[in-house]
Amino acid sequence: MPKPTKGSALDIPQSPWPVDAAFLARSARLALAVLVLLLGCLPAFSQQPPRNPAGTLRQIIPGHYVYSSTTFNSGVIVTGEGVVVVDALSSEALGRAERQAIASTIGQPVRILVSSTFHNQYSRGNVAYPDVPKIGHENYRTDLLALMQREKVPAEEQQARLPTQTFRDRLTLHLGGKEIQVLHVGRAHTRGDSLVFVPQDRIVYLSELYFAEQFLFINDGYGLDWLRALDTVAALDADIFVPGHGPIPADPRETRQGLARFRQVLVDVRDAVLKEIARGATEDQAVAALRWPQYEKMLGYDAQRETAVRRLYRQLTGTLP
């Protein structure tokens, strides 16, 4: 073999292993084809609009449904003259998706929207109901308006989200042969929570008064009042208690036991904070000391443990506004 000259192709280091030139050529062509394909797809990926949020509509019992997106639930009550929706969820797109699911599955228009929690996760979807009367407690309206003003929500959106009718203690609707009671049972998750009770069907929609198999979210809540509200709820002549968060069992009557388990979370937090106060602990000392291992795997425990201790501590010591 002639001695390689400087700068010739033979300067490339030689592999000690046999090389199949045909194989290398095929591999190079394949790699080039894949690269061209991927580069061609990039514009399509970059231009593809984000998918609209969507949930699922599930029948609980005849005439009653729940529309669920992640852990959030919206109630759907069917009457002979249309549908009552309980909570509109977190966005206009999601509200429209729920309305479409109702139209395609139930085939009736939405006549009334009842809202319970003023938080964005349950009030932004109100925008999807411009043609529907909206009902909420008077404190719900006050707190929703204050929230939107703090967040500098445009005036048009504020108007679209606010209720068109408020009530103080109770409001009874008669629609399509059903009596539907909209009730305020005191402060709980917020100052203006509403529940919706249909006596003839023995079902009550609780919104965020009830977190099924989850820890309590209590940033704006009042633990002692919440316990009293749950006792009032449990005394209703109902078999089914629809949570604002979390799963509904295959047998919806099991929700009564689930409601009792959620109430026990509040009882355990209250009792533990009371013991810390009795021994002279400060609020910070109570936060540092209190843990509930039986609830630590629940959704919301890590985020809300400290908040729950502080809210109960302040209410029990009379310093919660």
Side-chain angles (χ1 to χ4, degrees), residues 236-276:
L236 291 172
D237 196 13
D239 298 322
I240 300 168
F241 301 83
V242 181
H245 285 268
I248 299 172
D251 181 354
R253 292 172 296 181
E254 294 177 6
T255 52
R256 178 175 282 276
Q257 289 72 42
L259 182 66
R261 289 192 297 271
F262 177 69
R263 181 185 182 278
Q264 189 61 46
V265 175
L266 266 167
V267 169
D268 290 345
V269 173
R270 178 202 61 189
D271 290 352
V273 174
L274 270 173
K275 288 181 181 178
E276 290 299 304

Side-chain angles (χ1 to χ4, degrees), residues 77 86 114-117 135-138 140 166-173 179-188 190-199 203-209 229 232-238 241:
I77 303 167
V86 183
V114 180
S115 297
S116 177
T117 303
I135 296 172
H137 188 264
E138 55 189 27
Y140 163 83
T166 61
F167 71 100
R168 179 162 298 176
D169 298 314
R170 65 185 295 144
L171 177 69
T172 301
L173 306 172
E179 177 185 315
I180 301 172
Q181 299 177 10
V182 186
L183 308 175
H184 177 65
V185 292
R187 302 185 304 182
T190 70
R191 298 189 313 140
D193 301 306
S194 297
L195 60 87
V196 180
F197 178 37
V198 187
I203 185 170
V204 56
Y205 295 82
L206 295 177
S207 188
E208 290 190 292
L209 272 79
T232 300
V233 168
L236 291 172
D237 196 13
F241 301 83

Side-chain angles (χ1 to χ4, degrees), residues 11-249:
D11 282 330
I12 299 173
Q14 300 299 298
S15 169
W17 305 102
V19 176
D20 185 337
F23 172 77
L24 287 177
R26 287 196 302 272
S27 298
R29 288 195 298 272
L30 178 60
L32 180 60
V34 171
L35 179 60
V36 170
L37 178 63
L38 289 175
L39 290 174
C41 290
L42 282 177
F45 285 133
S46 63
Q47 295 171 14
Q48 185 175 0
R51 295 180 62 188
N52 287 332
T56 56
L57 185 66
R58 170 195 165 188
Q59 182 175 273
I60 306 171
I61 58 174
H64 293 269
Y65 294 75
V66 63
Y67 185 83
S68 301
S69 175
T70 62
T71 70
F72 299 90
N73 298 327
S74 170
V76 177
I77 303 167
V78 183
T79 81
E81 298 176 15
V83 170
V84 176
V85 170
V86 183
D87 288 326
L89 300 180
S90 61
S91 70
E92 181 178 3
L94 192 54
R96 293 190 182 282
E98 179 174 5
R99 292 193 73 171
Q100 180 58 45
I102 291 169
S104 60
T105 302
I106 299 170
Q108 292 207 48
V110 176
R111 296 297 188 193
I112 295 171
L113 170 66
V114 180
S115 297
S116 177
T117 303
F118 72 89
H119 296 145
N120 286 326
Q121 295 94 328
Y122 283 92
S123 65
R124 284 193 178 126
N126 293 4
V127 177
Y129 296 83
D131 55 328
V132 174
K134 302 176 183 67
I135 296 172
H137 188 264
E138 55 189 27
N139 287 338
Y140 163 83
R141 188 185 193 282
T142 299
D143 292 342
L144 174 57
L145 181 59
L147 171 69
M148 292 191 294
Q149 289 175 342
R150 286 195 305 272
E151 296 183 347
K152 302 187 186 311
V153 172
E156 184 178 356
E157 182 181 336
Q158 290 187 34
Q159 191 62 35
R161 287 169 65 178
L162 287 171
T164 55
Q165 181 175 356
T166 61
F167 71 100
R168 179 162 298 176
D169 298 314
R170 65 185 295 144
L171 177 69
T172 301
L173 306 172
H174 295 275
L175 185 68
K178 286 192 187 294
E179 177 185 315
I180 301 172
Q181 299 177 10
V182 186
L183 308 175
H184 177 65
V185 292
R187 302 185 304 182
H189 177 67
T190 70
R191 298 189 313 140
D193 301 306
S194 297
L195 60 87
V196 180
F197 178 37
V198 187
Q200 71 191 70
D201 297 330
R202 302 179 64 84
I203 185 170
V204 56
Y205 295 82
L206 295 177
S207 188
E208 290 190 292
L209 272 79
Y210 173 25
F211 291 73
E213 311 306 329
Q214 297 180 21
F215 200 69
L216 63 149
F217 282 72
I218 195 170
N219 297 73
D220 297 303
Y222 302 83
L224 302 183
D225 305 78
W226 201 338
L227 279 168
R228 288 191 289 269
L230 291 179
D231 290 340
T232 300
V233 168
L236 291 172
D237 196 13
D239 298 322
I240 300 168
F241 301 83
V242 181
H245 285 268
I248 299 172

Side-chain angles (χ1 to χ4, degrees), residues 296-310:
E296 63 185 9
K297 293 184 179 179
M298 278 186 167
L299 179 65
Y301 174 85
D302 291 334
Q304 287 285 300
R305 180 197 62 82
E306 177 177 340
T307 302
V309 174
R310 292 191 184 280

